Amino acid sequence: MHERYDPQSVERDAQGFWEAQASFRAVEDPSRPKFYCLSMFPYPSGKLHMGHVRNYTIGDVLTRTHRMRGYNVLQPMGWDAFGLPAENAAMANAVPPAKWTDDNIATMKAQLQSLGFAIDWSRELATCRPDYYRWNQWLFTRLFKKGIAYKKTGVVNWDPVDQTVLANEQVIDGRGWRTGALVEKREIPMYFLRITDYADELLGALDGLAGWPEQVKLMQKNWIGRSEGVRLGFPYTLEGEQKQLWVFTTRADTLMGATFCAIAAEHPIATWAAARDLKIAAFVDECKRGAVNEAELARLEKKGMPTGLYCTHPLSGERIPVWVANYVLMGYGEGAVMAVPAHDERDYGFAQSYGLPIKPVIRHPLGDGVPAPWKSAYAEPGLCINSGRYDGMGFEAAVDAIAADLATKGLGEKQIQWRLRDWGISRQRYWGCPIPIVHCPDCGDVPVPDAELPVVLPTDLVPDGTGNPLAKRPAFTETTCPACGKPARRETDTMDTFVDSSWYFLRYLDPDNEERPFDREIADHWMPVDQYIGGVEHAILHLMYARFFVKALADGGYLDVQEPFTNLFTQGMITRDGAKMSKSKGNVVSPREYVERLGADTARTYICFMGPPERGGGWVDEGAEGVHRFLSRLWRLGVEVDERTEPGAELPSEPTGEVRELLAKAHWSIDKATRDFERGFQFNTVIAAVMELVNEAYRLKDGLFGSSEGDAALRFATATAASLIFPFAPHLGSEIWEMIEGGRVWEEPWPQADPTLLSRDTFTLVIQVNGKVRAKLEADSGLEGEELLALARAEEQVASHLDGKKIVKEIVVPGRLVNIVVR
């Protein structure tokens, strides 16, 4: 063996062996407990970043430890390969998105493989390949036949230059993010998935997800947005016809304070008014180019125009003017609100701007007068005033009475509404899964039969920014109706890429199945995913849609489980110099650079050592170098122990002296690593324990070489260090294990601590941040700088004071304290 640690050589040999032996291929094995470990699959952008490395390293550490603990482990990988970035790159480089995507997949796969992840590559998938999206289409046709997928018109953001629909986040100050053109609101036919049918179920099941972060569950609850209220109608007459302007309100107790109604620019009344008045038409057009979500609305200056139409208050009979207002969205509620300026901040601001009446109808601590200036207390529930027979009633009593009175008039009823809207999956873009529908003049919308799937996406097209190129290819659009055989037109919209990622974890389980998306028996064996890992930015849409898909598939008899992910871990962000990594700041860390210079094991181990993974951490080059020195030191220990000790020496039954000291440290390390793994993702303290064991072996080795008991203790301690570091530094760990013990460490059981050797000396470590005591804990005597710092950073009370701060200096006084200086 080389005395000098050469990570490139060690890693190349280990990875070659794993690939040749298919060491990480998973098969169904009912005799062992299963562990399905899954990290969110990446978009093939072409380069790994440190966020990828952290995400997949976390999963790999869990995969390897669970294998050693007797689990049958599955860790697959694939590519979320459709989407707009590929089209933009294709336009910029004049190449088809397919080629750009395939090239990036090859590059990123090689980068992932260079990191030595224990991935079952036999299950690899890419969502842009027909053998995957065929089953997207197959599932869509099932949902379509059940009525869960359906077609209706929907309002979208339309870029008139790119001739495409834009997501809300692609509209910046009313203009397309790429072209700068003024965005229009258009109503076009689209396909939707009826996720609202599952709103109650999606909300109720959240409380049972004990392995999910509370923050994520709260975000989903807010997005689903269950509201109890009253749907009520304001009668009006339009061109001789009696109608009702329907609104939904959670504050029916304020109904007697409604002084006007406000409608969205897309509301039918606004369309009627715009046809009669050019000024209203211009304002409606302005609104349609304006805000697209609630967050933007909150920041807008409130503007409006009277439609000239009046409606009737459903209880008082008063005439109420109807205004078009820019702070009302058609996509929420009924596209109309009853405006109660005295008790709603947005209505108040609007009424102040246009001199509309403000009528207080709720008593609050600030008095019964007209609010001025606005304070949040005006919006709080209280006793009704100025409300006729409802005066003196509290919130619940008033709502009940008002709902009952409206019901007798046929103008209202109690209702539950949801913020959640049905999922519009149509995209007027090329690089996506074709929607398997044929439009027939006689038969209408006809799903493509199974035998004709997949509807194959041409891969030779290059978008030019003038609309969907599929619509310009007769060979794609012209077809025959599957029902009647007459000439028909194929749908050119493609699916939202969130469809691809809503069930990919099921295809991993049976990737070669050509008869169906997956076999139910296989799916029931592996599902649900035991540990899902990814960024918190996917807390709402991706996770919500995946949960919906699983529930819909279970209802269809394709699955037994109701939830896809038992445990969810959202890792923190890696920063550098106290800031998020970005090219503009020049603080990006390239994984490739560190793998080539220091080795994959160093990158993996350091990324787990820098702090608790849920809190993120700051990348410091000196820290990575320090981890590399530790791994080099462990390597030298392994080489020296292998050369200077005899294999086969037996450990003493009752060790004494330095032999006992080293064995006690080894068993302490096993115990600590085991406990830290069991209590969560305390990876940094596990690594610190291995560091301490290596330090102890170096301190004692010269006095132990040469005796049978000493040789046995050194071999045991070194093999233990290799075993415990293996999940983080698998190449080095497996190589050292083979030196000392022979065989394959990944096939060995997790080491067990001997309780008779766990006694040790401790001291109280004081942990300070900027000189202030933030925590105290019991630490083992003999811990050195890096180990003490790892313990300090792992403490929750300390980590909260480090979030978002730049570490300026770290002071360690062995046996006493750690002081971390931040700014």
Side-chain angles (χ1 to χ4, degrees):
M1 303 300 299
H2 296 289
E3 184 173 343
R4 178 179 171 274
Y5 174 44
D6 180 3
Q8 284 70 32
S9 174
V10 171
E11 291 166 9
R12 183 175 58 250
D13 291 348
Q15 290 170 17
F17 182 85
W18 295 336
E19 182 177 0
Q21 297 292 315
S23 298
F24 306 117
R25 180 166 292 187
V27 295
E28 290 71 50
D29 182 0
S31 68
R32 291 185 291 161
K34 63 92 179 178
F35 184 73
Y36 185 0
C37 186
L38 183 63
S39 298
M40 295 179 185
F41 63 168
Y43 182 81
S45 59
K47 289 183 179 179
L48 287 184
H49 54 68
M50 279 300 176
H52 288 125
V53 177
R54 168 169 267 206
N55 197 48
Y56 304 130
T57 298
I58 291 169
D60 203 53
V61 169
L62 296 175
T63 290
R64 293 178 183 276
T65 53
H66 277 78
R67 280 187 62 139
M68 296 173 74
R69 295 172 68 183
Y71 286 83
N72 183 31
V73 180
L74 169 61
Q75 182 180 217
M77 180 56 67
W79 311 96
D80 192 9
F82 272 139
L84 190 58
E87 291 200 24
N88 293 333
M91 286 188 282
N93 300 301
V95 296
K99 175 172 172 45
W100 183 84
T101 301
D102 287 342
D103 289 348
N104 286 352
I105 287 175
T107 300
M108 289 183 71
K109 181 176 180 179
Q111 291 174 329
L112 282 174
Q113 290 175 320
S114 75
L115 286 154
F117 295 129
I119 290 169
D120 182 352
W121 285 106
S122 71
R123 298 170 184 264
E124 179 186 9
L125 60 82
T127 58
C128 64
R129 293 173 184 156
D131 63 352
Y132 181 82
Y133 67 70
R134 169 191 179 183
W135 302 110
N136 265 17
Q137 296 170 348
W138 188 93
L139 291 167
F140 176 89
T141 62
R142 269 61 185 173
L143 296 175
F144 188 79
K145 290 169 184 175
K146 286 188 66 176
I148 295 175
Y150 67 96
K151 185 180 181 182
K152 72 169 185 177
T153 58
V155 177
V156 298
N157 306 307
W158 182 261
D159 187 315
V161 174
D162 270 356
Q163 295 287 296
T164 190
V165 171
L166 300 179
N168 289 346
E169 58 270 20
Q170 293 172 317
V171 180
I172 302 170
D173 296 329
R175 296 179 178 271
W177 69 281
R178 199 183 75 82
T179 65
L182 285 171
V183 170
E184 304 169 4
K185 297 269 185 69
R186 284 196 181 180
E187 195 162 352
I188 62 174
M190 299 171 62
Y191 288 92
F192 290 80
L193 296 182
R194 212 178 294 275
I195 191 173
T196 52
D197 281 4
Y198 290 83
D200 209 356
E201 199 173 337
L202 288 166
L203 180 64
L206 285 170
D207 290 334
L209 297 177
W212 282 41
E214 290 300 321
Q215 172 198 9
V216 172
K217 291 193 285 186
L218 180 61
M219 292 167 74
Q220 291 219 350
K221 287 178 181 178
N222 291 339
W223 187 263
I224 295 169
R226 184 181 190 275
S227 298
E228 295 185 10
V230 176
R231 182 178 184 261
L232 58 97
F234 287 77
Y236 67 95
T237 302
L238 186 64
E239 297 180 353
E241 185 178 353
Q242 295 292 318
K243 297 175 177 287
Q244 280 82 36
L245 176 61
W246 292 102
V247 304
F248 174 81
T249 179
T250 59
R251 292 295 307 276
D253 59 320
T254 66
L255 174 58
M256 302 306 290
T259 59
F260 65 98
C261 286
I263 59 174
E266 295 81 12
H267 197 282
I269 291 177
T271 303
W272 169 83
R276 296 161 49 89
D277 189 313
L278 291 178
K279 289 183 179 179
I280 296 177
F283 178 70
V284 164
D285 285 341
E286 178 186 337
C287 291
K288 289 180 178 180
R289 294 191 300 269
V292 292
N293 58 49
E294 290 173 300
E296 288 183 289
L297 285 179
R299 299 190 296 267
L300 274 182
E301 177 190 356
K302 306 302 181 285
K303 293 182 180 179
M305 289 194 71
T307 63
L309 184 74
Y310 285 79
C311 57
T312 303
H313 192 288
L315 294 180
S316 71
E318 297 177 56
R319 294 178 78 231
I320 303 286
V322 179
W323 286 63
V324 185
N326 67 346
Y327 69 94
V328 183
L329 287 178
M330 194 66 198
Y332 294 97
E334 307 274 348
V337 299
M338 67 171 205
V340 184
H343 305 291
D344 181 275
E345 187 173 6
R346 293 183 307 174
D347 298 341
Y348 175 80
F350 191 89
Q352 289 280 63
S353 296
Y354 293 101
L356 295 168
I358 300 174
K359 179 183 176 183
V361 291
I362 300 294
R363 174 161 291 142
H364 47 73
L366 301 177
D368 297 343
V370 173
W374 177 265
K375 290 183 173 60
S376 60
Y378 296 122
E380 297 297 320
L383 296 180
C384 290
I385 59 172
N386 303 323
S387 298
R389 83 175 197 85
Y390 311 111
D391 281 354
M393 291 185 182
F395 170 75
E396 291 185 3
V399 169
D400 288 345
I402 288 172
D405 289 347
L406 289 168
T408 62
K409 295 172 172 280
L411 291 176
E413 60 181 353
K414 278 192 170 182
Q415 194 177 77
I416 293 173
Q417 282 205 3
W418 306 89
R419 184 182 184 276
L420 184 68
R421 292 292 176 265
D422 278 348
W423 174 12
I425 65 165
S426 295
R427 298 294 180 268
Q428 293 68 40
R429 302 184 189 121
Y430 155 54
W431 192 238
C433 171
I435 294 176
I437 291 290
V438 170
H439 304 295
C440 175
D442 295 334
C443 305
D445 293 346
V446 181
V448 175
D450 292 354
E452 297 178 22
L453 296 178
V455 177
V456 177
L457 184 75
T459 57
D460 59 340
L461 298 177
V462 180
D464 60 8
T466 60
N468 186 347
L470 287 177
K472 306 171 189 176
R473 174 163 285 198
F476 180 83
T477 59
E478 294 176 3
T479 186
T480 56
C481 174
C484 69
K486 294 180 180 178
R489 179 178 174 276
R490 196 180 299 284
E491 174 62 59
T492 58
D493 281 1
T494 55
M495 294 186 197
D496 181 6
T497 56
F498 277 119
V499 175
D500 306 327
S501 59
S502 291
W503 72 281
Y504 75 109
F505 44 88
L506 294 165
R507 185 62 179 173
Y508 279 142
L509 307 180
D510 197 12
D512 300 321
N513 195 327
E514 296 183 0
E515 302 299 322
R516 56 183 68 87
F518 51 86
D519 181 85
R520 173 166 178 171
E521 186 176 346
I522 295 174
D524 288 346
H525 171 78
W526 285 109
M527 288 296 289
V529 173
D530 296 279
Q531 182 65 66
Y532 199 36
I533 304 160
V536 73
E537 65 272 16
H538 299 294
I540 298 176
L541 296 182
H542 162 56
L543 292 173
M544 186 81 73
Y545 295 150
R547 295 180 63 219
F548 158 65
F549 248 73
V550 164
K551 292 181 184 301
L553 289 171
D555 285 354
Y558 302 107
L559 275 177
D560 183 49
V561 299
Q562 289 287 331
E563 288 287 340
F565 314 119
T566 300
N567 296 292
L568 173 68
F569 182 79
T570 54
Q571 82 277 14
M573 183 184 299
I574 298 178
T575 60
R576 195 180 196 189
D577 301 327
K580 179 182 177 181
M581 291 185 191
S582 70
K583 291 180 181 178
S584 62
K585 294 176 182 175
N587 66 344
V588 172
V589 176
S590 165
R592 181 178 177 181
E593 171 197 341
Y594 281 87
V595 170
E596 291 178 350
R597 184 164 63 88
L598 301 176
D601 282 344
T602 292
R604 292 169 53 118
T605 305
Y606 177 57
I607 218 163
C608 292
F609 186 61
M610 63 172 57
E614 70 274 13
R615 292 188 173 275
W619 183 279
V620 180
D621 289 342
E622 292 80 3
E625 298 279 359
V627 166
H628 182 69
R629 287 193 297 273
F630 156 66
L631 295 178
S632 298
R633 198 162 186 244
L634 175 53
W635 175 266
R636 291 194 302 272
L637 176 66
V639 171
E640 186 176 8
V641 168
D642 181 47
E643 291 176 346
R644 296 182 61 181
T645 62
E646 290 295 329
E650 292 188 7
L651 290 169
S653 58
E654 295 185 5
T656 59
E658 291 185 337
V659 170
R660 191 186 195 287
E661 285 185 54
L662 183 55
L663 292 177
K665 182 60 69 175
H667 284 279
W668 169 83
S669 300
I670 294 169
D671 179 63
K672 179 164 181 55
T674 303
R675 286 187 290 107
D676 285 355
F677 272 129
E678 287 176 350
R679 70 189 178 100
F681 296 77
Q682 301 299 318
F683 297 160
N684 53 333
T685 56
V686 175
I687 296 167
V690 183
M691 289 177 171
E692 186 173 347
L693 173 57
V694 172
N695 289 344
E696 190 76 343
Y698 265 91
R699 185 177 72 85
L700 298 172
K701 65 183 176 66
D702 290 339
L704 295 174
F705 282 129
S707 72
S708 175
E709 291 185 354
D711 286 357
L714 282 167
R715 295 183 76 86
F716 177 80
T718 306
T720 296
S723 179
L724 297 180
I725 204 64
F726 168 74
F728 308 98
H731 313 86
L732 176 140
S734 60
E735 193 76 10
I736 294 176
W737 178 273
E738 187 176 358
M739 279 187 220
I740 305 301
E741 295 288 340
R744 305 165 183 176
V745 67
W746 60 90
E747 294 177 351
E748 295 293 324
W750 186 254
Q752 300 296 311
D754 182 346
T756 65
L757 289 167
L758 292 180
S759 60
R760 58 193 184 274
D761 294 330
T762 63
F763 73 97
T764 300
L765 175 66
V766 177
I767 307 170
Q768 301 175 338
V769 178
N770 289 345
K772 292 185 178 180
V773 176
R774 298 300 182 186
K776 294 180 181 180
L777 57 85
E778 287 300 301
D780 295 286
S781 300
L783 283 180
E784 297 185 2
E786 283 297 332
E787 295 95 335
L788 291 172
L789 284 170
L791 287 174
R793 297 189 202 106
E795 279 298 299
E796 186 173 351
Q797 305 96 309
V798 175
S800 63
H801 290 280
L802 302 182
D803 270 356
K805 304 289 180 60
K806 181 179 180 180
I807 296 176
V808 178
K809 192 175 183 180
E810 293 174 317
I811 303 165
V812 178
V813 181
R816 290 183 55 195
L817 66 82
V818 167
N819 182 25
I820 303 173
V821 181
V822 299
R823 68 168 182 234

